[in-house]
Amino acid sequence: MPGLEHPAGRKHPSFSLSSASTRKPGTDVEVPFSRSPWPIRSVFPGDVMASFRPDGLIPASQGTAGVQLSHCDLAMFIAQLKSSRMQVLLLDTADPQAFVGSLKQGQSFACSSEYCFGFRARFVMPADFFLLGYMHRAGDNSWCQGVPMTADTAFSVMPGQTADFMFGAGTRVTHVLLPTGGMRPGSLKALPAPAEPRLFVKLFQTAGNDTFARLEKIYQQIRWKVILQADAAYSSFVTPIDLQALVECHAAASLSATGKSILGCCRSRRKHYRVVERTEHFIRANLGVDIYLSDMCDAAEVSERTLRYACQDLLGISPMRFLSSLRLCVAFIELNEADASRRSVKSVAMDCGMHDLSRFAEAYKRLFGELPHDTLLRPSSGEWMTN
């Protein structure tokens, strides 16, 4: 197969993740991908392209490393994830560093990211989309709906379902958002339901057979496609993702997952997750009023000690910090979607139970990297898959 021209003038072997049936030999396919706006200093250390293997996009000497993390604020982070409705809570005080790369193929959206800070993300999958993903590396205390997640964990979120993820510092994850209408008939039915009725996300570890190894390779290659797309020097090398192959391989791996491959959690962990759920539901229903620790304990029907244990186990923070983080997150969403001619920063702050505007502004800027007024005047990042 003819070589592709390197930006510096050298030739390297052609590479593609598309199946042989979708491309003619010796040709390359150009797809109008969207360029990721995430700031990247240098995606590849040195000339990594020279070490690319002909059988894929994974450099022989780099593994899945090779991206430099950049400073980010949470406002940019949520906008990059393309969903202002995603509830994101920053859960450590470290200076947030991250790499988030994305590409758009038709109505599908692929994202690969890496974080040096811990955060929690909760969202409802739109009725006409589903999500497939893979954890290349899991930071400490990473979980989904309270179920611990480790490296090599694959997951799927079906249309209309709620997903609640906690990503610990050091997490590296790739996920693909796909429209239900673009798949072959029966593709979604091949993705099994979760093992536990309360768990809306199917989790399993990809280790033990050839199907798992094939799925892992597909996600590794998608990750490198996203990384290449994020660098202007290499974006022209990116070829289409075989989305149907991804769905079929993920479904086959999910069906073959049995026993220890299917992730679950112990009774105490499940109890702690239910406590945090009840506490959060109470907070969201009463954001506009003063909430005390005793109120949260009464709502969760547990003692103060149990509530503290649950928040520390699941989130690594105290109940009162959980309360303040939720208030700020809701305020960000309200400001991001508000019409500046009809709503003010003061009205949003009051609705979220933050009556001291100076302290609110200080905490808001510390978390999101901008003042509340700046968020109110900035154009909304929009709903799922809108740009």
Side-chain angles (χ1 to χ4, degrees), residues 16-337:
S16 173
L17 298 186
S18 302
S19 62
S21 62
T22 62
R23 299 178 63 242
K24 295 180 180 180
T27 64
D28 197 276
V29 180
E30 292 186 0
V31 175
F33 294 112
S34 64
R35 178 63 52 79
S36 167
W38 198 260
I40 302 172
R41 291 189 294 273
S42 175
V43 173
F44 297 106
D47 189 2
V48 175
M49 284 292 290
S51 65
F52 270 45
R53 299 199 308 264
D55 61 342
L57 289 180
I58 303 174
S61 62
Q62 294 295 323
T64 56
V67 296
Q68 291 187 350
L69 307 185
S70 300
H71 172 78
C72 67
D73 59 72
L74 210 52
M76 179 186 290
F77 177 59
I78 296 175
Q80 173 67 10
L81 291 179
K82 299 292 192 298
S83 174
S84 63
R85 276 297 180 186
M86 180 179 288
Q87 297 289 339
V88 180
L89 297 179
L90 189 63
L91 296 173
D92 61 35
T93 56
D95 180 31
Q97 299 277 330
F99 165 80
V100 180
S102 62
L103 59 84
K104 188 173 182 289
Q105 183 173 317
Q107 287 186 293
S108 300
F109 175 77
C111 178
S112 190
S113 49
E114 186 171 346
Y115 315 98
C116 74
F117 60 93
F119 70 95
R120 178 184 173 220
R122 183 183 180 93
F123 59 92
V124 178
M125 186 58 51
D128 51 351
F129 283 88
F130 65 102
L131 186 76
L132 302 179
Y134 175 79
M135 298 274 287
H136 304 276
R137 188 173 65 194
D140 292 340
N141 200 31
S142 294
W143 49 258
C144 175
Q145 254 104 326
V147 178
M149 299 178 70
T150 59
D152 302 324
T153 296
F155 56 89
S156 57
V157 187
M158 293 297 98
Q161 294 181 340
T162 300
D164 189 1
F165 287 95
M166 167 74 178
F167 293 135
T171 293
R172 180 183 295 153
V173 60
T174 295
H175 64 266
V176 183
L177 184 68
L178 303 108
T180 56
M183 297 295 104
R184 292 175 188 166
S187 296
L188 288 181
K189 294 181 180 179
L191 292 169
E196 299 182 34
R198 286 180 55 82
L199 185 62
F200 301 116
V201 181
K202 178 66 184 288
L203 304 170
F204 61 93
Q205 282 196 300
T206 58
N209 61 41
D210 293 340
T211 304
F212 290 158
R214 190 160 61 250
L215 181 64
E216 180 181 356
K217 182 177 180 181
I218 289 175
Y219 278 111
Q220 295 273 22
Q221 292 174 337
I222 292 174
R223 171 174 165 76
W224 277 104
K225 277 183 173 292
V226 171
I227 291 174
L228 287 176
Q229 178 63 26
D231 194 313
Y234 300 108
S235 60
S236 60
F237 288 84
V238 178
T239 51
I241 301 170
D242 191 339
L243 299 173
Q244 188 64 46
L246 166 65
V247 174
E248 292 175 357
C249 187
H250 195 112
S254 184
L255 286 168
S256 64
T258 57
K260 293 182 179 180
S261 295
I262 301 176
L263 301 183
C265 62
C266 62
R267 183 179 299 177
S268 61
R269 180 81 172 206
R270 194 177 297 112
K271 177 184 176 182
H272 284 172
Y273 183 73
R274 287 197 294 266
V275 168
V276 172
E277 268 194 316
R278 288 195 294 265
T279 303
E280 180 175 355
H281 179 75
F282 169 77
I283 293 172
R284 291 187 183 278
N286 297 276
L287 275 176
V289 301
D290 292 334
I291 299 175
Y292 302 96
L293 183 60
S294 58
D295 299 326
M296 291 187 281
C297 293
D298 293 340
E301 299 178 352
V302 295
S303 65
E304 179 180 327
R305 181 178 181 182
T306 300
L307 180 60
R308 290 185 182 278
Y309 279 164
C311 289
Q312 190 64 42
D313 181 28
L314 270 297
L315 306 173
I317 57 177
S318 68
M320 296 308 294
R321 187 175 169 197
F322 180 39
L323 168 63
S324 61
S325 296
L326 270 178
R327 290 190 191 277
L328 290 170
C329 183
V330 173
F332 171 82
I333 292 176
E334 293 296 325
L335 289 167
N336 187 62
E337 296 186 342

